[in-house]
Amino acid sequence: MNAVRLTPPAGSVRATIPLASSKSESNRALIINALAHFRGTLHNVSAARDSQTMIRLLQSDDPVADVLDAGTTMRFLTAYFAVTGQHKTLTGTPRMCERPIGILVDALRALGADIDYLKNEGFPPIATKGFSRNGTNRLAIRGDVSSQYISALLMVAPTLPDGLTLELTGDIGSRPYIEMTLRQMEHFGVQTVADWTNKTITVPPTPYTPADYTIESDWSGASYWFSMLALAEDESSEIELLGLKEASLQGDSAIVDIMRPLGVESTFNATGVVLTKTPAQPSLAWDFTDCPDLAQTVAVCCAVKSIPLTLTGVESLKIKETDRIFALQTELRKIGAELVEVEKNTRYEVRKTATIDAIPTFDTYDDHRMAMAFAPVSMRQEVVIEEPGVVAKSYPSFWDDMARVAGVQFEK
């Protein structure tokens, strides 16, 4: 399928959505369980392509590990293969091989890993060639580039002979993802000490204890449903999202607070959360440092609702699956809006400039979040989204779930 045509609901939106499970939690649990010699039992593991790729590569004896376009899988497996002394070549799609990994490789080398770049310095493909347990047990690493580097190091830290202390320099981005990693490690028997004031995290040398672990539904995937309800025109519309917890480990649960001023109220119950419509505020400013994956969703929602939005903390968007800043700037024009860089690489604004194209066709840039962020526009008018299969990366059932609230027609 090359495109999907979405048409607005005929009336009130009312649906119960069995959300996909969390890719972020799944990928961490898979690495930790591997370090526990695969003796734990994981429940509700994500069916997302990234997580299924992780499972396949953890179980494979093949000397080449092709992560496809999975950034988390690349970074976590680099640390895992390096510290467990496995000889592997890690590679991926052309875009994956343009995404930097030098900070993580430098840190692993300091710990005792033997890693070579096979093409361009600082980027995949790379080769892990063994591990010498005579490296340092204290590292300084930037906190403002990618929390995935930090999480990758933390998860392997208990297996090091002297454990590890990480000193985080600069600002700390996506801190909830680091905290998620620490909580999951603790579930598997490793006690950690995080001193956020002094920006240090200490992990003692401790064997992981096998455990049962159930993965929560995905708050990142939930965000698109918040946007859909915010854009639904019938005020009686209501959506229930299953499998979410109010006290979540996932940083993207911040969508509850972000969407409240955009007209969505959340009520938790025993099975998940119920979304209802409320009046929206006239403008919104949000720092996405801890939840950058929500930025596209919120930008599109505000553009359609003609609510001015100020975004900060989105520096990492340029090194995601695509340059998400450029992609947003290009696609928002099709719905009569613009993303303006107010302070270079620091502060952006979404502004309404014109009416929406008759039937906008959105490119997806090989980025699952571009497809799903623009899908809620269909609550207001017919849209076409190209290459809809990209959602398999994190939410394979997304279009099936969309069919519960809107018309969905695939086209060649």
Side-chain angles (χ1 to χ4, degrees):
M1 58 188 178
N2 295 327
V4 61
R5 185 177 296 269
L6 307 175
T7 51
S12 176
V13 172
R14 291 191 169 271
T16 298
I17 306 299
L19 286 170
S21 57
S22 168
K23 175 170 68 78
S24 297
E25 279 195 44
S26 293
N27 287 356
R28 286 161 173 78
L30 287 164
I31 290 291
I32 293 170
N33 191 49
L35 291 166
H37 306 291
F38 301 96
R39 291 182 295 167
T41 302
L42 306 182
H43 304 280
N44 198 35
V45 174
S46 174
R49 185 175 66 230
D50 282 13
S51 297
Q52 294 302 307
T53 299
M54 179 81 82
I55 292 170
R56 174 175 58 80
L57 296 178
L58 283 170
Q59 295 173 344
S60 175
D61 293 327
D62 195 308
V64 177
D66 185 348
V67 306
L68 306 176
D69 59 351
T72 308
T73 304
M74 169 65 79
R75 290 155 180 173
F76 289 2
L77 284 179
T78 294
Y80 173 77
F81 289 145
V83 171
T84 55
Q86 299 187 48
H87 291 238
K88 294 278 188 176
T89 295
L90 290 105
T91 189
T93 63
R95 173 61 182 172
M96 186 69 252
C97 292
E98 294 174 350
R99 298 179 69 180
I101 200 168
I103 290 175
L104 177 60
V105 169
D106 288 347
L108 290 167
R109 284 172 169 173
L111 295 176
D114 186 1
I115 303 175
D116 286 344
Y117 294 110
L118 301 182
K119 190 174 182 183
N120 295 320
E121 190 79 9
F123 298 87
I126 59 175
T128 60
K129 302 171 64 178
F131 188 79
S132 173
R133 294 182 177 269
N134 58 1
T136 183
N137 70 337
R138 192 174 188 95
L139 287 175
I141 186 169
R142 287 177 60 182
D144 62 347
V145 177
S146 174
S147 65
Q148 293 175 8
Y149 299 155
I150 297 166
S151 288
L153 294 167
L154 288 172
M155 286 188 289
V156 299
T159 70
L160 302 174
D162 298 309
L164 179 63
T165 295
L166 285 182
E167 301 172 14
L168 308 182
T169 63
D171 295 332
I172 301 174
S174 300
R175 174 174 154 180
Y177 285 95
I178 301 171
E179 292 177 323
M180 175 198 295
T181 303
L182 296 175
R183 298 294 83 75
Q184 288 185 256
M185 290 168 63
E186 289 167 3
H187 184 87
F188 286 82
V190 172
Q191 297 304 310
T192 64
V193 179
D195 182 345
W196 298 109
T197 302
N198 294 310
K199 299 182 181 179
T200 63
I201 305 173
T202 300
V203 182
T206 312
Y208 280 112
T209 302
D212 287 358
Y213 187 84
T214 300
I215 287 110
E216 184 188 7
S217 291
D218 184 29
W219 274 101
S220 305
S223 71
Y224 311 112
W225 297 98
F226 278 79
S227 182
M228 271 183 260
L229 191 78
L231 296 179
E233 301 209 72
D234 192 307
E235 294 301 315
S236 67
S237 295
E238 181 178 292
I239 294 176
E240 181 177 15
L241 304 175
L242 301 180
L244 297 174
K245 298 181 290 189
E246 188 168 11
S248 176
L249 296 180
Q250 298 174 53
D252 283 356
S253 60
I255 195 66
V256 170
D257 296 324
I258 298 172
M259 281 291 179
R260 188 173 291 114
L262 299 183
V264 180
E265 188 59 43
S266 305
T267 303
F268 287 86
N269 58 28
T271 56
V273 61
V274 177
L275 311 182
T276 52
K277 291 182 70 67
T278 59
Q281 295 180 9
S283 64
L284 178 67
W286 202 269
D287 182 352
F288 289 90
T289 298
D290 289 340
C291 52
D293 284 345
L294 299 180
Q296 291 150 289
T297 307
V298 179
V300 173
C301 184
C302 287
V304 176
K305 291 176 74 72
S306 299
I307 294 175
L309 169 66
T310 299
L311 306 91
T312 53
V314 294
E315 294 84 355
S316 66
L317 294 191
K318 292 186 176 181
I319 59 168
K320 296 285 188 177
E321 283 79 348
T322 187
D323 179 342
R324 288 176 173 172
I325 296 294
F326 171 80
L328 274 174
Q329 288 173 326
T330 303
E331 300 308 306
L332 284 174
R333 295 189 191 105
K334 299 174 182 178
I335 52 175
E338 60 181 359
L339 178 65
V340 180
E341 187 177 44
V342 179
E343 294 179 17
K344 187 170 178 59
N345 203 35
T346 300
R347 185 161 66 94
Y348 295 82
E349 292 181 1
V350 172
R351 303 168 183 169
K352 190 71 174 177
T353 58
T355 57
I356 300 178
D357 289 356
I359 301 179
T361 297
F362 299 114
D363 295 325
T364 51
Y365 302 80
D366 292 321
D367 185 350
H368 55 136
R369 302 211 184 280
M370 286 298 291
M372 293 184 285
F374 279 88
V377 179
S378 65
M379 296 295 100
R380 299 288 179 96
Q381 71 161 92
E382 186 172 349
V383 302
V384 174
I385 295 179
E386 296 187 334
E387 303 299 336
V390 294
V391 302
K393 180 176 174 61
S394 64
Y395 192 164
S397 60
F398 179 74
W399 302 118
D400 291 334
D401 288 345
M402 270 294 296
R404 301 168 189 264
V405 300
V408 176
Q409 180 181 350
F410 293 102
E411 302 175 346
K412 293 184 178 179

